Amino acid sequence: MIKSLSLVKILRQCSIRSIRHFETSTQPPPFSSDSTSNPISQQLPLIVNRQLEYPHVRYPPLQAWLETLGQKRDEKLGIVDLHPSIWQTSPRLDILYENIEWQKTYKKIDWAYTPPHHEYPSMRGKPWPQKGTGRARHSSRYDPQWKGGYKVNGPKGPTSFFYVLPKEKRIEGLCTALTVKLHQNDVHFVDSFDLPTHQPTYLQELTEDRFWGPSILFIDDTDIMPHNMMFASAKTEGFTVMPVYGLNVYSILKHTTLVLTIRALNKIEKKLLHALNSYDTQKDQPAPPDEP
Amino acid sequence: MPIERGLQYLRHMQRVTLKNLPMPLEKTDKWKKENPDENTIKSIMSRKGPISRNSLPPYGIDPIQAEGRLPWILTVPKEPYYEGVEEARQYLPISLRTLQRLIDLRRINPDKPVDLPVLCNTKLFSIQPDQRQFGLQLTDEGADLFSTPINLEIQWVASELAIAAIERCGGVLTTRYFDPISLSALVDAKKFFERGEPIPRCDTPPINAIEYYTDPKQRGYLANPDLIREERQRLAQKYGYKLPDSSKLSPLYHLRKDPRQIFYGLEPGWLINLKDQTILKPTDNKYQTFYHS
């Protein structure tokens, strides 16, 4: 266990671009130019401690490995601390069900429309006289029992299924989805999405070697991604790249693995903890801490 | 630990996907069979008859055997003898005769103000606040016998004779309201102090009692004292006696309680320690403003 003072000295001595990730900076890092030499040239481990807000009363923080996409060899760069009220909640599958139902149905509009009696052509006359012809007796041509007739209590116009799930359920849905993924070994933490090449085969072979599953969800904190990453994920089937503001329960469960950057992790934890620990009603809520 | 057991199951079981989630009970076929909704009920039941046409007769009568009879609710008459019993206030009676008897037998000291706790300590009255009993009322039996000046505080007076009988001897009467929480403190004062609660603050009377307690004719505690003096003179003229001088009486007869005060000499908010013989008073500003309001 390296103490915090020596870690700070190491960070100050090194002047490599990826260290800017751990300090709060807003500039996106440039691409890595050298792929032949060892891309990790600083001293390992990179992180061992991470400060958490609103520490949990009962549980200590969870720990996970920090990995890279910059090289094919699976080398761990350090350990990341995770907050237990997000990553160790009770696995409420019924709340996941409700969230997914909501995501499916709130956009749904039923366009079915059957015109009623008064929107049909005129039905003034009898089609044939009451008696004499050998056919059944009818009063109008467009009655419901006829083919092509009007429908009495059919669907009328566009109906919307819009509703808003309460905020606590949506927050708890996100937390349970993340715990479910973590405890089933489907979450991986990565320092950044900087790849050495733009070839999609690089990423595909990397993920195959590490058994990361056919479909992967990559999450970064901004919506501007490095060019290599975009190219590789666009050409492979099953890889999706997403910013933090697009995180939802349906996508988390649809993809087999989740890959998060450290900056995305910080943002997610900040937002969720702020929402979990605030007692404001809808009206007095202040503005959220960060913009997407 | 329910969370940890659930997470243990998660580690050993299959991966949770969109198709693996459990359906809620209300959407399963078994539940729908046991609790059918309105449309299924309508499609199963007959399309004719009073049930489907929303024309059932009122309760108490069989629709087949009706034949022009009234339903049960209209045949049985109303007998509102006890209407309003749940909201009515009860007062236990105490007559002037018992009062005089207690004074003669030296169970009550007329030199000190006679109050509800003083009368309850004689153990002749059992007042139960949860049975809607709000104190004692004065009756006029023994008005001729009464002959001691006394500072009396009672909860209700119905007749003028009783008031006149007390004032003829030189006494003083006030009617006073106590809410049930403060009543339970007054009825058994020693038990209340042993409980260790601060003295409660008396509430204002309910709306149908404010008229009574602001009336000078009933000597209410919220009435104007000048009007009360007028009424004393008027009563003396009506019943034919002379009002004794009020300046000759001892200062005990001028003792009155604050509308928020329950005990003579003790303020609301104080805690009393019988074992150490001490009184604890609140020093915080908000408590003082509350109890003194």
Side-chain angles (χ1 to χ4, degrees):
Chain A
M1 260 297 262
I2 294 178
K3 290 185 187 169
S4 56
L5 280 174
S6 49
L7 191 66
V8 164
K9 275 189 206 165
I10 290 163
L11 291 175
R12 278 193 201 135
Q13 280 164 16
C14 306
S15 60
I16 299 169
R17 46 126 180 95
S18 55
I19 296 228
R20 285 188 216 129
H21 289 250
F22 311 122
E23 297 168 293
T24 54
S25 70
T26 51
Q27 296 171 20
F31 314 122
S32 60
S33 51
D34 49 346
S35 56
T36 50
S37 59
N38 194 4
I40 302 167
S41 45
Q42 60 267 29
Q43 204 173 349
L44 294 176
L46 290 177
I47 326 180
V48 178
N49 266 332
R50 207 169 134 255
Q51 213 192 5
L52 299 174
E53 291 180 313
Y54 306 105
H56 201 277
V57 173
R58 238 180 174 184
Y59 300 117
L62 301 166
Q63 287 176 334
W65 288 117
L66 180 67
E67 298 159 7
T68 41
L69 296 176
Q71 58 170 17
K72 265 203 178 165
R73 201 177 60 152
D74 194 3
E75 195 167 353
K76 315 288 187 192
L77 302 184
I79 292 172
V80 180
D81 281 350
L82 303 172
H83 200 286
S85 53
I86 297 170
W87 297 94
Q88 203 179 3
T89 51
S90 62
R92 299 265 325 253
L93 301 180
D94 60 321
I95 287 181
L96 289 179
Y97 183 89
E98 284 177 12
N99 271 288
I100 286 160
E101 278 284 307
W102 173 66
Q103 278 189 272
K104 277 189 203 165
T105 57
Y106 84 91
K107 301 175 211 169
K108 186 171 147 191
I109 297 177
D110 191 9
W111 294 99
Y113 180 78
T114 54
H117 160 273
H118 56 267
E119 287 185 18
Y120 263 71
S122 67
M123 324 181 200
R124 291 207 125 199
K126 284 171 94 57
W128 44 77
Q130 180 83 359
K131 299 180 84 55
T133 63
R135 306 166 87 172
R137 50 193 182 179
H138 288 294
S139 62
S140 74
R141 151 90 181 80
Y142 295 103
D143 273 343
Q145 64 262 33
W146 283 70
K147 180 183 168 187
Y150 65 86
K151 201 151 166 81
V152 177
N153 281 326
K156 288 283 169 53
T159 49
S160 82
F161 292 80
F162 175 78
Y163 70 103
V164 176
L165 204 64
K167 197 163 188 177
E168 293 90 9
K169 284 204 178 172
R170 284 182 271 146
I171 290 164
E172 209 171 333
L174 275 175
C175 294
T176 47
L178 292 171
T179 52
V180 157
K181 283 286 170 193
L182 182 77
H183 287 270
Q184 294 189 327
N185 298 327
D186 287 328
V187 174
H188 301 279
F189 296 97
V190 159
D191 57 346
S192 73
F193 285 155
D194 297 326
L195 302 178
T197 62
H198 69 279
Q199 295 292 334
T201 49
Y202 172 79
L203 239 194
Q204 286 164 10
E205 284 167 10
L206 191 152
T207 52
E208 267 190 58
D209 292 339
R210 300 185 190 183
F211 301 104
W212 277 10
S215 58
I216 306 178
L217 183 61
F218 295 98
I219 294 179
D220 202 2
D221 66 332
T222 52
D223 35 3
I224 298 165
M225 302 280 170
H227 169 263
N228 289 347
M229 186 68 201
M230 289 300 296
F231 197 84
S233 59
K235 293 288 177 181
T236 47
E237 201 184 334
F239 288 12
T240 53
V241 186
M242 220 191 227
V244 160
Y245 63 78
L247 197 63
N248 60 86
V249 172
Y250 188 89
S251 308
I252 290 172
L253 292 185
K254 191 175 154 79
H255 298 86
T256 42
T257 49
L258 258 186
V259 176
L260 299 169
T261 55
I262 295 290
R263 291 168 81 175
L265 216 209
N266 288 332
K267 217 173 184 183
I268 288 168
E269 285 213 338
K270 200 174 178 182
K271 279 190 170 180
L272 280 177
L273 288 171
H274 176 79
L276 280 170
N277 288 297
S278 71
Y279 291 94
D280 294 331
T281 53
Q282 202 74 29
K283 265 198 280 179
D284 343 305
Q285 265 178 4
D290 250 348
E291 291 104 305
Chain B
M1 299 276 189
I3 291 180
E4 289 174 6
R5 187 180 275 197
L7 298 173
Q8 221 176 34
Y9 289 145
L10 265 188
R11 280 181 217 122
H12 298 313
M13 295 214 157
Q14 284 180 2
R15 182 182 276 142
V16 175
T17 59
L18 295 171
K19 303 191 179 180
N20 266 350
L21 292 172
M23 207 201 254
L25 257 182
E26 285 92 5
K27 297 197 179 181
T28 50
D29 292 332
K30 197 180 174 192
W31 184 277
K32 282 183 191 170
K33 249 191 183 177
E34 289 164 15
N35 312 319
D37 55 325
E38 223 182 292
N39 288 329
T40 45
I41 289 170
K42 269 187 174 175
S43 60
I44 288 163
M45 294 182 71
S46 67
R47 310 294 161 100
K48 296 185 184 180
I51 294 172
S52 69
R53 290 176 182 146
N54 292 328
S55 60
L56 279 172
Y59 287 120
I61 203 128
D62 196 8
I64 295 164
Q65 299 167 3
E67 293 175 10
R69 275 183 286 156
L70 286 176
W72 175 84
I73 275 171
L74 295 179
T75 51
V76 175
K78 242 190 191 180
E79 292 178 354
Y81 303 130
Y82 290 103
E83 204 170 352
V85 128
E86 288 96 12
E87 296 131 14
R89 290 189 298 274
Q90 298 176 22
Y91 299 98
L92 295 177
I94 178 174
S95 62
L96 290 162
R97 192 159 157 275
T98 47
L99 252 185
Q100 185 61 51
R101 189 159 173 275
L102 293 170
I103 290 164
D104 291 338
L105 294 173
R106 302 209 285 198
R107 285 172 84 169
I108 287 179
N109 193 356
D111 296 330
K112 292 190 178 170
V114 173
D115 204 7
L116 223 204
V118 168
L119 289 167
C120 289
N121 284 337
T122 58
K123 308 285 187 197
L124 290 173
F125 314 101
S126 68
I127 302 174
Q128 296 158 11
D130 28 314
Q131 298 291 325
R132 297 176 307 278
Q133 289 172 2
F134 280 78
L136 297 171
Q137 60 170 323
L138 199 60
T139 52
D140 49 5
E141 186 188 348
D144 306 326
L145 304 170
F146 200 79
S147 60
T148 43
I150 194 172
N151 180 0
L152 191 60
E153 200 188 58
I154 211 90
Q155 274 75 55
W156 191 272
V157 174
S159 68
E160 278 180 337
L161 232 196
I163 305 173
I166 288 178
E167 293 182 345
R168 180 180 65 150
C169 315
V172 160
L173 180 79
T174 50
T175 46
R176 169 79 218 237
Y177 171 80
F178 291 117
D179 61 304
I181 292 171
S182 22
L183 242 196
S184 56
L186 285 165
V187 158
D188 209 341
K190 194 182 175 197
K191 228 182 184 179
F192 171 73
F193 293 137
E194 281 170 4
R195 253 191 269 157
E197 286 172 9
I199 295 171
R201 173 187 87 146
C202 191
D203 273 341
T204 50
I207 291 170
N208 55 12
I210 282 175
E211 219 188 294
Y212 180 90
Y213 289 108
T214 50
D215 201 0
K217 286 187 189 167
Q218 315 285 359
R219 311 288 189 274
Y221 72 114
L222 297 170
N224 202 346
D226 302 329
L227 295 175
I228 288 177
R229 269 179 239 134
E230 274 183 40
E231 291 293 329
R232 281 162 67 96
Q233 306 248 333
R234 201 173 294 172
L235 255 193
Q237 282 176 5
K238 181 174 174 184
Y239 282 94
Y241 59 86
K242 201 180 169 199
L243 265 184
D245 265 336
S246 60
S247 54
K248 285 188 195 165
L249 301 169
S250 65
L252 277 174
Y253 290 94
H254 302 291
L255 245 190
R256 297 278 146 64
K257 279 188 204 168
D258 190 56
R260 296 286 196 192
Q261 202 185 0
I262 297 172
F263 295 106
Y264 277 117
L266 297 175
E267 283 179 23
W270 287 2
L271 252 183
I272 287 169
N273 197 340
L274 286 176
K275 196 172 176 199
D276 302 335
Q277 306 258 318
T278 54
I279 297 176
L280 304 164
K281 304 179 191 176
T283 54
D284 204 346
N285 221 0
K286 61 179 179 185
Y287 290 116
Q288 284 182 347
T289 47
F290 172 74
Y291 282 117
H292 287 291
S293 63

